[in-house]
């Protein structure tokens, strides 16, 4: 079943990836000024003979295109994929025509063909970027043979030796591919990170809203308890006085409904209490809360909390921060998704450090991806197969869950390490632990709840989590 929030996120990302028309207009004005400057400097400073009318006619088409765009479209217009392709294709052809009039590849400004290709690689899908790159490469190849030569004032034809001409063509074509590919790779990683961070913030905001809602529910349950008790007491007295009359039955119904309200509020209060007793909890309590949604998914989740040798046997009391709960929940979900039958969660603590390790008996992480786990949008599953499938229907397999978990937990001061259990367990120790292993380590000072000297919980106060 499709996730509506995912569809909303995708549509939002698609909208923000559109390039603004105003940006292309400004870039084109800069190109127009540069073309005019190049023609005039060539004519006046170096005495070059150029077909001036044809050159200015080509520049005039770019000026006209800009003016039409300014007057016909609002300044805030964002171009669709097809509109951006047509705009950049116009720039490629216009520049190619100018180069044809001014020496072809003998003109060093042929290097500027990289500009629209770089923009396409940054802002467009791969097929559209390849289309612009192919058009630029084809024009550069044609310009090596078809062009009007540049002549000096004395009529001498200025051209490069054939070897240099071929070298310039090869360098420019290679530059089109290399620069476009490099820029696309970098911009794609930046965009992926931006999308993933947005998804992380959305997940954290959702978790925080649920926590805040629990506090509202607890407060309502507490405040309504007294008036409901009063209603119950008065209705009981009315039942005693009115007996089995019609009004007595009404009073009995009021008492029953008051009991029902009491039970509902009691259950809501247990689920949403937001006092210091629940804002902080023993380490294993927080861990079991994170694992609870996955306990009935057909996999055995074994939780083992114990002190490290020589450590205080009392387990740390930590803050129930949404980042910790949601981050651990994502890691446990990932382990349950790929486990064959069992997931192990081990926690050990010392005076200064808390170490948690989540291991499963699944196929483990692909060795070639271990170094990239925790990056957003890793497009292969643990077992190396393509995303989706029967193991986790509808799962996109883009690594976003692990990225969110890693980002949230690192915000709490944690350090995460990803490996396979076979890399960290001896064969004689736990031979069944051959799946993935995630180790999370916190300094105790980063997650421990502040201790009170009197051992009490203190008065209820609003959340002050960072």
């Amino acid at each position: 079943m499709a996730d509506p929030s995912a569809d909303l996120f995708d549509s939002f990302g698609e909208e923000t990836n559109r390039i603004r028309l105003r940006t292309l207009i400004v870039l084109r004005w800069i190109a127009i000024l540069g073309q005019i400057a190049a023609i005039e400097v060539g004519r006046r400073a170096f005495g070059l003979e150029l077909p001036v009318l044809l050159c200015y006619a080509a520049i005039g088409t770019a000026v006209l295109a800009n003016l039409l765009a300014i007057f016909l479209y609002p300044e805030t217009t964002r171009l669709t994929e097809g509109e951006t392709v047509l705009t950049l294709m116009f720039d490629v052809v216009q520049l190619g025509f100018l180069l044809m009039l001014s020496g072809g590849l003998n003109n060093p400004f042929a290097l500027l063909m990289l500009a629209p290709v770089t923009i396409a690689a940054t802002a467009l899908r791969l097929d559209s970027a390849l289309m612009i790159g192919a058009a630029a490469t084809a024009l550069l190849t044609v310009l090596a043979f078809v062009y009007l030569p540049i002549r000096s004032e004395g009529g001498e034809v200025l051209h490069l030796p054939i070897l240099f001409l071929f070298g310039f063509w090869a360098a420019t074509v290679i530059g089109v591919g290399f620069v476009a590919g490099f820029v696309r790779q970098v911009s794609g990683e930046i965009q992926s990170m931006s999308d993933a961070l947005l998804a992380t913030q959305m997940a954290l905001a959702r978790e925080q809203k649920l926590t805040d809602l629990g506090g509202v529910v607890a407060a309502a349950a507490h405040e309504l308890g007294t008036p409901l008790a009063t209603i119950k007491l008065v209705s009981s007295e009315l039942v005693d006085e009115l007996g089995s009359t019609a009004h007595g039955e009404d009073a009995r119904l009021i008492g029953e409904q008051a009991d029902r309200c009491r039970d509902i509020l009691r259950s809501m209060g247990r689920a949403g209490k937001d006092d210091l007793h629940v804002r902080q909890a023993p380490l294993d309590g927080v861990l079991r809360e994170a694992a609870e949604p996955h306990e009935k998914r057909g996999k055995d989740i074994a939780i083992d909390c114990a002190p490290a040798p020589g450590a205080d046997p009392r387990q740390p009391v930590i803050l129930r921060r949404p980042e910790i709960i949601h981050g651990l929940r994502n890691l446990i979900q990932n382990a349950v998704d790929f486990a064959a039958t069992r997931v192990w969660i081990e926690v050990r603590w010392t005076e200064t450090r808390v170490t948690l390790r989540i291991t499963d008996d699944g196929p483990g992480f692909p060795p070639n991806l271990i170094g990239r786990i925790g990056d957003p949008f890793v497009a292969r599953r643990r077992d190396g197969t393509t995303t989706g499938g029967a193991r986790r229907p509808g799962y996109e397999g883009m690594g976003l869950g692990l990225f969110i978990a890693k980002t949230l937990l690192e915000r709490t001061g944690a350090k995460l390490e990803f490996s396979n259990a076979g890399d960290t367990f001896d064969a004689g120790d736990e031979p069944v632990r051959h799946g993935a292993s995630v180790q999370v380590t916190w300094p105790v000072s980063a997650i421990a709840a502040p201790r009170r000297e009197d051992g009490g919980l203190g008065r209820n106060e609003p959340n002050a989590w960072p």
Side-chain angles (χ1 to χ4, degrees), residues 1 297 337 381 388-396:
M1 183 175 180
R297 294 182 54 194
D337 285 337
R381 295 159 55 113
R391 185 183 293 271
R392 187 171 174 185
Y395 176 56
E396 294 299 328

Side-chain angles (χ1 to χ4, degrees), residues 167 179 230 232 238 276 285 358 372:
V179 173
T230 302
K232 175 63 176 176
L238 289 174
L276 289 179
I358 302 173
R372 295 179 55 201

Side-chain angles (χ1 to χ4, degrees), residues 331 402 405-406 409-410 414-418 438-441:
L331 293 180
L402 287 177
K406 183 172 183 288
L409 292 174
E410 286 179 346
K415 179 182 178 182
L416 279 74
E417 298 178 11
F418 299 91
V438 181
Q439 180 168 300
V440 187
T441 305

Side-chain angles (χ1 to χ4, degrees), residues 11 21-22 34 71 80 184 233 249 280 303 317 394 440:
S11 61
L21 176 61
R22 183 174 181 273
F71 288 111
T80 63
R184 182 173 184 82
L233 177 61
E249 292 298 325
Q280 61 188 45
I303 298 178
V317 176
V440 187

Side-chain angles (χ1 to χ4, degrees), residues 408-426:
L408 292 179
L409 292 174
E410 286 179 346
R411 287 182 56 172
T412 68
K415 179 182 178 182
L416 279 74
E417 298 178 11
F418 299 91
S419 62
N420 285 321
D423 302 331
T424 55
F425 287 91
D426 295 330

